[in-house]
Amino acid sequence: MPRTPAPDEDDDLDDLPDTHPPQPVYYAEQALLGALLLDPHRLADVTGIEPGSFSNYAHGALFAAIRDLPAPDPVQHTQDTTWLNAVLAAARKHARGLTASYLHTLIQVCPWPRHASAYARMIETEHARRTLRAHAERLALTARDVTLPQPVTATLAAADALARCVDDLAARFPSHPGSLPRTPAPPPGDTHDGHDEEALDEERLLLATATAHPTEAEQMRWLTVHDFTQPLHAGLWQCLTALTRRGAPVDPVTVLWEAQQRGLLTTGIEPAHLLDLLAGTAGSPQYWGERILQRAVLWSAHDVGHRIEAFTEDPATTPYQLVVGSRRALADLHALRTRWKHASTPTPTASPARTRASAPPRAGPPRATAPSASRISR
Protein backbone atom coordinates (compact mmCIF):
# COMPACT_ATOMS: atom_id res chain seq x y z
CA MET A 1 0.00 0.00 0.00
CA PRO A 2 1.53 3.36 -0.98
CA ARG A 3 2.45 5.65 1.88
CA THR A 4 0.81 9.08 2.04
CA PRO A 5 3.50 11.73 2.57
CA ALA A 6 3.29 13.91 5.62
CA PRO A 7 2.56 17.64 5.18
CA ASP A 8 6.22 18.52 5.79
CA GLU A 9 7.46 16.03 3.21
CA ASP A 10 6.60 18.12 0.13
CA ASP A 11 9.03 17.60 -2.68
CA ASP A 12 11.46 20.30 -3.64
CA LEU A 13 10.47 22.18 -6.80
CA ASP A 14 13.73 21.15 -8.43
CA ASP A 15 12.81 17.48 -7.97
CA LEU A 16 9.37 17.67 -9.54
CA PRO A 17 9.09 15.96 -12.94
CA ASP A 18 8.50 18.38 -15.81
CA THR A 19 6.95 17.13 -19.02
CA HIS A 20 7.89 20.35 -20.84
CA PRO A 21 11.30 22.03 -20.71
CA PRO A 22 11.23 25.41 -18.94
CA GLN A 23 10.82 28.44 -21.17
CA PRO A 24 13.15 31.48 -20.90
CA VAL A 25 10.61 33.35 -18.77
CA TYR A 26 10.97 30.64 -16.10
CA TYR A 27 14.60 31.60 -15.64
CA ALA A 28 13.70 35.30 -15.64
CA GLU A 29 11.28 34.58 -12.79
CA GLN A 30 13.98 32.73 -10.88
CA ALA A 31 16.44 35.56 -11.42
CA LEU A 32 13.96 38.20 -10.22
CA LEU A 33 13.01 36.25 -7.10
CA GLY A 34 16.65 35.59 -6.32
CA ALA A 35 17.41 39.30 -6.66
CA LEU A 36 14.56 40.21 -4.30
CA LEU A 37 15.51 37.57 -1.76
CA LEU A 38 19.09 38.78 -1.77
CA ASP A 39 18.33 42.51 -1.88
CA PRO A 40 14.69 43.08 -0.78
CA HIS A 41 14.99 46.85 -1.23
CA ARG A 42 15.09 46.30 -5.02
CA LEU A 43 11.35 45.64 -4.89
CA ALA A 44 10.95 49.40 -5.40
CA ASP A 45 12.47 48.98 -8.89
CA VAL A 46 9.94 46.30 -9.88
CA THR A 47 6.81 47.60 -11.61
CA GLY A 48 4.19 46.30 -14.00
CA ILE A 49 3.78 42.81 -12.53
CA GLU A 50 1.59 41.08 -9.96
CA PRO A 51 1.69 37.57 -8.46
CA GLY A 52 -0.58 36.43 -11.29
CA SER A 53 1.98 37.61 -13.85
CA PHE A 54 4.24 34.63 -13.13
CA SER A 55 3.99 31.53 -15.30
CA ASN A 56 4.83 29.34 -12.28
CA TYR A 57 2.27 29.41 -9.48
CA ALA A 58 4.83 28.84 -6.72
CA HIS A 59 6.88 31.76 -8.04
CA GLY A 60 3.81 33.97 -7.88
CA ALA A 61 3.13 32.93 -4.28
CA LEU A 62 6.72 33.68 -3.36
CA PHE A 63 6.57 37.11 -5.02
CA ALA A 64 3.37 37.90 -3.11
CA ALA A 65 5.05 37.01 0.19
CA ILE A 66 8.07 39.19 -0.62
CA ARG A 67 5.81 42.10 -1.58
CA ASP A 68 3.50 41.81 1.44
CA LEU A 69 6.09 41.41 4.19
CA PRO A 70 7.95 44.47 5.48
CA ALA A 71 11.47 44.69 4.12
CA PRO A 72 14.16 43.70 6.64
CA ASP A 73 16.95 45.87 7.94
CA PRO A 74 19.75 45.63 5.32
CA VAL A 75 22.47 44.95 7.88
CA GLN A 76 20.41 42.43 9.83
CA HIS A 77 19.46 40.68 6.59
CA THR A 78 23.09 39.91 5.83
CA GLN A 79 23.60 38.29 9.23
CA ASP A 80 20.68 35.85 9.59
CA THR A 81 17.79 34.25 7.71
CA THR A 82 14.94 35.58 9.83
CA TRP A 83 13.29 37.44 6.96
CA LEU A 84 13.83 34.57 4.52
CA ASN A 85 12.15 32.19 6.96
CA ALA A 86 9.19 34.56 7.26
CA VAL A 87 8.90 34.78 3.46
CA LEU A 88 9.01 31.00 3.13
CA ALA A 89 6.36 30.51 5.81
CA ALA A 90 4.02 33.03 4.16
CA ALA A 91 4.51 31.59 0.67
CA ARG A 92 4.03 27.97 1.81
CA LYS A 93 0.45 28.79 2.83
CA HIS A 94 -0.32 28.88 -0.91
CA ALA A 95 2.47 26.75 -2.41
CA ARG A 96 3.29 23.79 -0.21
CA GLY A 97 6.13 22.62 -2.47
CA LEU A 98 8.39 25.54 -1.60
CA THR A 99 11.43 24.70 0.55
CA ALA A 100 14.30 26.59 2.10
CA SER A 101 16.72 24.91 -0.29
CA TYR A 102 14.78 26.26 -3.28
CA LEU A 103 15.01 29.80 -1.92
CA HIS A 104 18.78 29.40 -1.70
CA THR A 105 18.77 28.04 -5.26
CA LEU A 106 16.98 31.18 -6.43
CA ILE A 107 19.60 33.36 -4.81
CA GLN A 108 22.43 31.38 -6.38
CA VAL A 109 21.03 31.43 -9.94
CA CYS A 110 20.44 35.21 -10.00
CA PRO A 111 23.17 36.69 -12.25
CA TRP A 112 22.92 40.32 -11.07
CA PRO A 113 20.43 41.59 -8.46
CA ARG A 114 20.72 45.10 -9.92
CA HIS A 115 19.03 43.79 -13.09
CA ALA A 116 15.78 43.13 -11.20
CA SER A 117 13.79 45.68 -13.22
CA ALA A 118 14.89 44.03 -16.48
CA TYR A 119 13.81 40.63 -15.21
CA ALA A 120 10.44 42.08 -14.20
CA ARG A 121 9.97 43.53 -17.69
CA MET A 122 10.57 40.09 -19.20
CA ILE A 123 7.93 38.61 -16.91
CA GLU A 124 5.50 41.40 -17.78
CA THR A 125 6.06 40.82 -21.50
CA GLU A 126 5.42 37.10 -21.30
CA HIS A 127 2.34 37.59 -19.13
CA ALA A 128 0.95 40.02 -21.71
CA ARG A 129 1.53 37.40 -24.40
CA ARG A 130 -0.30 34.73 -22.39
CA THR A 131 -3.18 37.09 -21.64
CA LEU A 132 -3.60 38.01 -25.28
CA ARG A 133 -3.48 34.34 -26.26
CA ALA A 134 -6.21 33.52 -23.74
CA HIS A 135 -8.49 36.23 -25.17
CA ALA A 136 -7.83 35.05 -28.73
CA GLU A 137 -8.63 31.46 -27.78
CA ARG A 138 -11.83 32.58 -26.08
CA LEU A 139 -12.89 34.48 -29.20
CA ALA A 140 -12.27 31.47 -31.46
CA LEU A 141 -14.12 29.10 -29.11
CA THR A 142 -17.09 31.45 -28.68
CA ALA A 143 -17.46 31.82 -32.44
CA ARG A 144 -17.73 28.03 -32.78
CA ASP A 145 -20.08 27.47 -29.82
CA VAL A 146 -23.35 26.26 -31.35
CA THR A 147 -25.13 26.19 -27.97
CA LEU A 148 -25.24 29.98 -27.54
CA PRO A 149 -28.72 31.52 -27.89
CA GLN A 150 -27.24 34.72 -29.40
CA PRO A 151 -23.93 33.66 -30.95
CA VAL A 152 -23.12 36.96 -32.68
CA THR A 153 -23.71 39.01 -29.53
CA ALA A 154 -21.50 36.71 -27.44
CA THR A 155 -18.81 36.59 -30.12
CA LEU A 156 -18.66 40.36 -30.51
CA ALA A 157 -18.45 40.72 -26.73
CA ALA A 158 -15.42 38.41 -26.76
CA ALA A 159 -13.95 40.50 -29.57
CA ASP A 160 -14.46 43.65 -27.46
CA ALA A 161 -12.60 42.04 -24.55
CA LEU A 162 -9.78 41.12 -26.91
CA ALA A 163 -9.63 44.67 -28.26
CA ARG A 164 -9.40 46.07 -24.72
CA CYS A 165 -6.52 43.69 -24.02
CA VAL A 166 -4.74 44.95 -27.14
CA ASP A 167 -5.26 48.57 -26.06
CA ASP A 168 -3.76 47.74 -22.66
CA LEU A 169 -0.70 46.26 -24.36
CA ALA A 170 -0.32 49.35 -26.53
CA ALA A 171 -0.35 51.57 -23.44
CA ARG A 172 2.25 49.49 -21.57
CA PHE A 173 4.71 48.80 -24.38
CA PRO A 174 6.05 51.64 -26.56
CA SER A 175 6.05 51.49 -30.33
CA HIS A 176 9.22 50.91 -32.31
CA PRO A 177 10.26 50.63 -35.97
CA GLY A 178 9.47 47.46 -37.88
CA SER A 179 6.30 46.67 -35.99
CA LEU A 180 4.71 44.25 -38.47
CA PRO A 181 4.60 40.64 -37.19
CA ARG A 182 6.81 38.26 -39.14
CA THR A 183 4.65 35.27 -38.24
CA PRO A 184 2.79 33.92 -41.31
CA ALA A 185 -0.96 33.81 -40.91
CA PRO A 186 -2.38 30.32 -40.36
CA PRO A 187 -4.52 28.84 -43.16
CA PRO A 188 -8.25 29.57 -42.89
CA GLY A 189 -10.27 27.19 -40.78
CA ASP A 190 -12.24 24.34 -42.27
CA THR A 191 -15.58 26.02 -41.62
CA HIS A 192 -15.50 28.47 -44.54
CA ASP A 193 -14.55 26.03 -47.29
CA GLY A 194 -17.77 26.03 -49.30
CA HIS A 195 -18.78 22.50 -48.26
CA ASP A 196 -21.14 23.34 -45.38
CA GLU A 197 -24.48 22.05 -46.67
CA GLU A 198 -26.53 24.27 -44.39
CA ALA A 199 -24.66 27.34 -45.60
CA LEU A 200 -25.08 26.30 -49.23
CA ASP A 201 -28.82 25.80 -48.77
CA GLU A 202 -29.20 29.23 -47.21
CA GLU A 203 -27.32 30.83 -50.10
CA ARG A 204 -29.51 29.03 -52.68
CA LEU A 205 -32.67 30.17 -50.89
CA LEU A 206 -31.40 33.74 -50.75
CA LEU A 207 -30.71 33.79 -54.49
CA ALA A 208 -34.13 32.35 -55.29
CA THR A 209 -36.09 34.68 -53.00
CA ALA A 210 -34.05 37.70 -54.11
CA THR A 211 -34.88 36.87 -57.72
CA ALA A 212 -38.57 36.73 -56.81
CA HIS A 213 -38.41 39.91 -54.69
CA PRO A 214 -35.72 42.12 -56.25
CA THR A 215 -37.01 45.28 -54.56
CA GLU A 216 -36.20 43.84 -51.14
CA ALA A 217 -32.84 42.56 -52.32
CA GLU A 218 -31.90 46.01 -53.58
CA GLN A 219 -32.06 47.29 -50.00
CA MET A 220 -29.59 44.66 -48.75
CA ARG A 221 -26.40 46.58 -49.52
CA TRP A 222 -24.89 45.26 -46.27
CA LEU A 223 -24.41 41.83 -47.90
CA THR A 224 -21.32 41.42 -50.09
CA VAL A 225 -19.89 38.68 -52.27
CA HIS A 226 -17.26 37.94 -49.59
CA ASP A 227 -19.98 36.61 -47.28
CA PHE A 228 -20.75 33.63 -49.54
CA THR A 229 -19.06 30.26 -49.27
CA GLN A 230 -19.58 29.27 -52.92
CA PRO A 231 -17.98 31.40 -55.70
CA LEU A 232 -20.88 30.63 -58.06
CA HIS A 233 -23.37 31.91 -55.49
CA ALA A 234 -21.30 35.05 -54.98
CA GLY A 235 -21.29 35.62 -58.73
CA LEU A 236 -25.05 35.18 -58.98
CA TRP A 237 -25.54 37.68 -56.17
CA GLN A 238 -23.47 40.15 -58.18
CA CYS A 239 -25.72 39.51 -61.17
CA LEU A 240 -28.83 40.18 -59.09
CA THR A 241 -27.56 43.39 -57.54
CA ALA A 242 -26.28 44.67 -60.88
CA LEU A 243 -29.68 44.14 -62.50
CA THR A 244 -31.59 45.82 -59.69
CA ARG A 245 -29.29 48.85 -59.61
CA ARG A 246 -29.65 49.28 -63.35
CA GLY A 247 -33.42 49.08 -63.03
CA ALA A 248 -33.47 46.12 -65.40
CA PRO A 249 -36.10 43.36 -65.25
CA VAL A 250 -35.24 40.61 -62.77
CA ASP A 251 -36.36 37.02 -63.15
CA PRO A 252 -34.57 33.66 -63.48
CA VAL A 253 -34.00 34.12 -67.20
CA THR A 254 -32.55 37.65 -66.96
CA VAL A 255 -30.29 36.55 -64.11
CA LEU A 256 -29.16 33.58 -66.20
CA TRP A 257 -28.34 35.87 -69.12
CA GLU A 258 -26.38 38.23 -66.83
CA ALA A 259 -24.47 35.23 -65.48
CA GLN A 260 -23.51 34.29 -69.02
CA GLN A 261 -22.27 37.80 -69.72
CA ARG A 262 -20.11 37.66 -66.62
CA GLY A 263 -18.56 34.32 -67.55
CA LEU A 264 -20.18 32.27 -64.79
CA LEU A 265 -21.44 29.50 -67.10
CA THR A 266 -18.24 27.51 -67.05
CA THR A 267 -17.80 23.78 -67.57
CA GLY A 268 -20.04 21.80 -65.25
CA ILE A 269 -22.57 24.59 -64.70
CA GLU A 270 -25.66 24.00 -66.83
CA PRO A 271 -28.22 26.75 -67.53
CA ALA A 272 -31.08 24.45 -66.53
CA HIS A 273 -29.42 23.89 -63.15
CA LEU A 274 -29.24 27.63 -62.50
CA LEU A 275 -32.88 28.10 -63.50
CA ASP A 276 -33.91 25.40 -61.03
CA LEU A 277 -31.76 27.02 -58.33
CA LEU A 278 -33.37 30.43 -58.87
CA ALA A 279 -36.90 29.02 -58.80
CA GLY A 280 -36.92 27.43 -55.32
CA THR A 281 -38.20 30.30 -53.20
CA ALA A 282 -38.97 30.14 -49.46
CA GLY A 283 -39.11 32.92 -46.91
CA SER A 284 -37.74 36.38 -47.57
CA PRO A 285 -34.39 37.71 -48.85
CA GLN A 286 -33.84 39.66 -45.61
CA TYR A 287 -34.06 36.52 -43.48
CA TRP A 288 -31.65 34.46 -45.57
CA GLY A 289 -29.30 37.40 -45.98
CA GLU A 290 -29.05 37.85 -42.22
CA ARG A 291 -28.35 34.13 -41.82
CA ILE A 292 -25.51 34.32 -44.35
CA LEU A 293 -24.04 37.45 -42.78
CA GLN A 294 -24.27 35.96 -39.29
CA ARG A 295 -22.33 32.94 -40.46
CA ALA A 296 -19.73 35.22 -42.06
CA VAL A 297 -19.30 37.15 -38.79
CA LEU A 298 -18.74 33.95 -36.81
CA TRP A 299 -16.33 32.52 -39.37
CA SER A 300 -14.36 35.76 -39.46
CA ALA A 301 -14.18 35.91 -35.65
CA HIS A 302 -12.94 32.32 -35.53
CA ASP A 303 -10.19 33.06 -38.06
CA VAL A 304 -9.21 36.30 -36.29
CA GLY A 305 -8.80 34.42 -33.03
CA HIS A 306 -6.55 31.84 -34.70
CA ARG A 307 -4.47 34.52 -36.41
CA ILE A 308 -3.79 36.29 -33.13
CA GLU A 309 -3.05 32.97 -31.43
CA ALA A 310 -0.40 32.33 -34.08
CA PHE A 311 1.20 35.70 -33.33
CA THR A 312 1.38 34.95 -29.60
CA GLU A 313 2.89 31.51 -30.15
CA ASP A 314 5.87 33.01 -31.97
CA PRO A 315 8.37 33.95 -29.23
CA ALA A 316 10.17 36.30 -31.61
CA THR A 317 7.10 38.55 -31.88
CA THR A 318 7.52 41.65 -29.72
CA PRO A 319 4.63 43.06 -27.67
CA TYR A 320 4.11 45.97 -30.03
CA GLN A 321 4.15 43.64 -33.01
CA LEU A 322 1.38 41.76 -31.24
CA VAL A 323 -0.53 45.03 -30.97
CA VAL A 324 -0.15 45.89 -34.66
CA GLY A 325 -0.97 42.39 -35.88
CA SER A 326 -3.97 42.05 -33.57
CA ARG A 327 -5.42 45.41 -34.56
CA ARG A 328 -5.12 44.57 -38.24
CA ALA A 329 -6.87 41.27 -37.68
CA LEU A 330 -9.64 42.89 -35.63
CA ALA A 331 -10.17 45.54 -38.32
CA ASP A 332 -11.50 42.86 -40.68
CA LEU A 333 -14.00 41.76 -38.04
CA HIS A 334 -14.97 45.38 -37.33
CA ALA A 335 -16.02 45.90 -40.94
CA LEU A 336 -18.28 42.85 -40.75
CA ARG A 337 -19.62 44.05 -37.42
CA THR A 338 -20.68 47.35 -38.97
CA ARG A 339 -22.56 45.58 -41.76
CA TRP A 340 -24.19 43.23 -39.26
CA LYS A 341 -25.46 46.21 -37.30
CA HIS A 342 -27.05 47.65 -40.45
CA ALA A 343 -28.63 44.29 -41.28
CA SER A 344 -30.00 43.46 -37.83
CA THR A 345 -31.22 46.94 -36.90
CA PRO A 346 -34.81 47.47 -38.02
CA THR A 347 -35.24 50.30 -40.49
CA PRO A 348 -37.18 53.10 -38.76
CA THR A 349 -40.52 53.71 -40.40
CA ALA A 350 -41.00 57.33 -41.34
CA SER A 351 -44.20 58.68 -39.84
CA PRO A 352 -46.38 60.63 -42.30
CA ALA A 353 -46.04 64.36 -42.11
CA ARG A 354 -48.80 65.95 -40.13
CA THR A 355 -50.82 68.43 -42.13
CA ARG A 356 -52.41 71.29 -40.28
CA ALA A 357 -56.06 71.69 -41.19
CA SER A 358 -57.26 75.19 -41.77
CA ALA A 359 -58.96 76.27 -38.58
CA PRO A 360 -62.27 78.12 -38.76
CA PRO A 361 -61.98 81.85 -38.22
CA ARG A 362 -62.03 82.77 -34.61
CA ALA A 363 -64.71 85.10 -33.38
CA GLY A 364 -63.48 88.55 -32.46
CA PRO A 365 -63.83 89.96 -28.99
CA PRO A 366 -67.27 91.27 -28.11
CA ARG A 367 -67.78 95.01 -28.72
CA ALA A 368 -67.98 97.12 -25.66
CA THR A 369 -70.29 99.70 -27.33
CA ALA A 370 -72.80 99.55 -30.13
CA PRO A 371 -71.59 100.79 -33.55
CA SER A 372 -72.37 104.43 -34.28
CA ALA A 373 -75.23 105.35 -36.57
CA SER A 374 -72.89 107.08 -39.07
CA ARG A 375 -70.92 103.85 -39.62
CA ILE A 376 -74.15 101.92 -40.09
CA SER A 377 -75.31 104.38 -42.72
CA ARG A 378 -72.13 103.80 -44.69
Side-chain angles (χ1 to χ4, degrees):
M1 181 175 179
R3 183 176 64 88
T4 303
D8 294 335
E9 294 179 349
D10 295 320
D11 293 331
D12 194 302
L13 291 184
D14 288 337
D15 298 331
L16 293 177
D18 192 358
T19 57
H20 300 285
Q23 298 300 309
V25 68
Y26 178 85
Y27 301 103
E29 293 174 5
Q30 285 189 323
L32 174 63
L33 294 173
L36 297 180
L37 292 172
L38 188 61
D39 294 334
H41 68 278
R42 295 193 181 278
L43 183 62
D45 302 331
V46 176
T47 59
I49 62 173
E50 298 290 334
S53 303
F54 288 77
S55 63
N56 183 283
Y57 179 79
H59 289 173
L62 190 56
F63 178 78
I66 295 173
R67 187 187 61 177
D68 296 342
L69 288 175
D73 177 77
V75 177
Q76 185 69 26
H77 185 55
T78 61
Q79 297 176 356
D80 58 43
T81 61
T82 303
W83 185 77
L84 293 177
N85 294 337
V87 168
L88 178 60
R92 276 178 58 85
K93 295 178 181 179
H94 306 282
R96 299 290 302 275
L98 286 169
T99 62
S101 63
Y102 187 66
L103 266 62
H104 288 288
T105 298
L106 294 175
I107 294 174
Q108 292 172 357
V109 300
C110 176
W112 293 102
R114 64 173 178 267
H115 295 167
S117 60
Y119 305 144
R121 188 63 164 175
M122 298 173 192
I123 297 169
E124 181 184 9
T125 299
E126 207 57 30
H127 177 250
R129 187 187 307 275
R130 292 195 305 272
T131 303
L132 182 62
R133 183 185 302 125
H135 280 287
E137 291 174 349
R138 188 174 299 114
L139 173 61
L141 290 174
T142 304
R144 295 290 298 274
D145 190 348
V146 297
T147 65
L148 296 173
Q150 295 182 323
V152 173
T153 301
T155 298
L156 294 180
D160 289 339
L162 174 57
R164 288 192 295 270
C165 177
V166 173
D167 291 340
D168 179 63
L169 260 66
R172 290 160 54 192
F173 297 92
S175 60
H176 55 77
S179 296
L180 292 177
R182 297 184 296 270
T183 309
D190 59 357
T191 52
H192 202 323
D193 58 1
H195 299 292
D196 189 316
E197 284 302 323
E198 184 179 1
L200 295 178
D201 288 341
E202 291 172 354
E203 292 174 6
R204 295 186 191 106
L205 290 168
L206 168 67
L207 294 171
T209 54
T211 303
H213 307 283
T215 304
E216 295 181 35
E218 202 277 333
Q219 306 299 321
M220 297 167 54
R221 296 178 181 265
W222 37 263
L223 191 66
T224 71
V225 295
H226 303 291
D227 302 327
F228 290 79
T229 63
Q230 178 63 252
L232 174 61
H233 296 168
L236 290 174
W237 180 250
Q238 280 186 315
C239 296
L240 273 164
T241 54
L243 289 172
T244 55
R245 289 168 187 172
R246 293 201 307 260
V250 178
D251 61 38
V253 174
T254 60
V255 174
L256 175 64
W257 185 260
E258 183 75 14
Q260 176 180 268
Q261 303 305 305
R262 291 174 176 264
L264 296 181
L265 300 184
T266 58
T267 304
I269 300 177
E270 299 180 0
H273 170 72
L274 291 187
L275 290 176
D276 291 340
L277 184 152
L278 297 173
T281 62
S284 68
Q286 175 79 22
Y287 173 79
W288 298 117
E290 287 187 17
R291 292 281 299 175
I292 293 169
L293 184 57
Q294 171 179 304
R295 195 181 302 272
V297 171
L298 298 178
W299 279 335
S300 177
H302 180 263
D303 286 341
V304 166
H306 272 314
R307 286 165 59 186
I308 297 177
E309 279 186 67
F311 295 151
T312 62
E313 290 170 357
D314 185 353
T317 306
T318 65
Y320 198 74
Q321 286 176 325
L322 292 176
V323 170
V324 174
S326 299
R327 282 179 170 171
R328 288 199 174 193
L330 286 167
D332 298 336
L333 181 59
H334 179 73
L336 267 170
R337 178 187 200 142
T338 301
R339 292 195 284 117
W340 170 256
K341 183 177 180 181
H342 288 308
S344 58
T345 302
T347 304
T349 56
S351 57
R354 298 180 60 184
T355 57
R356 178 179 296 178
S358 56
R362 298 177 60 186
R367 295 179 180 274
T369 58
S372 61
S374 62
R375 293 184 63 183
I376 294 177
S377 63
R378 291 179 185 175

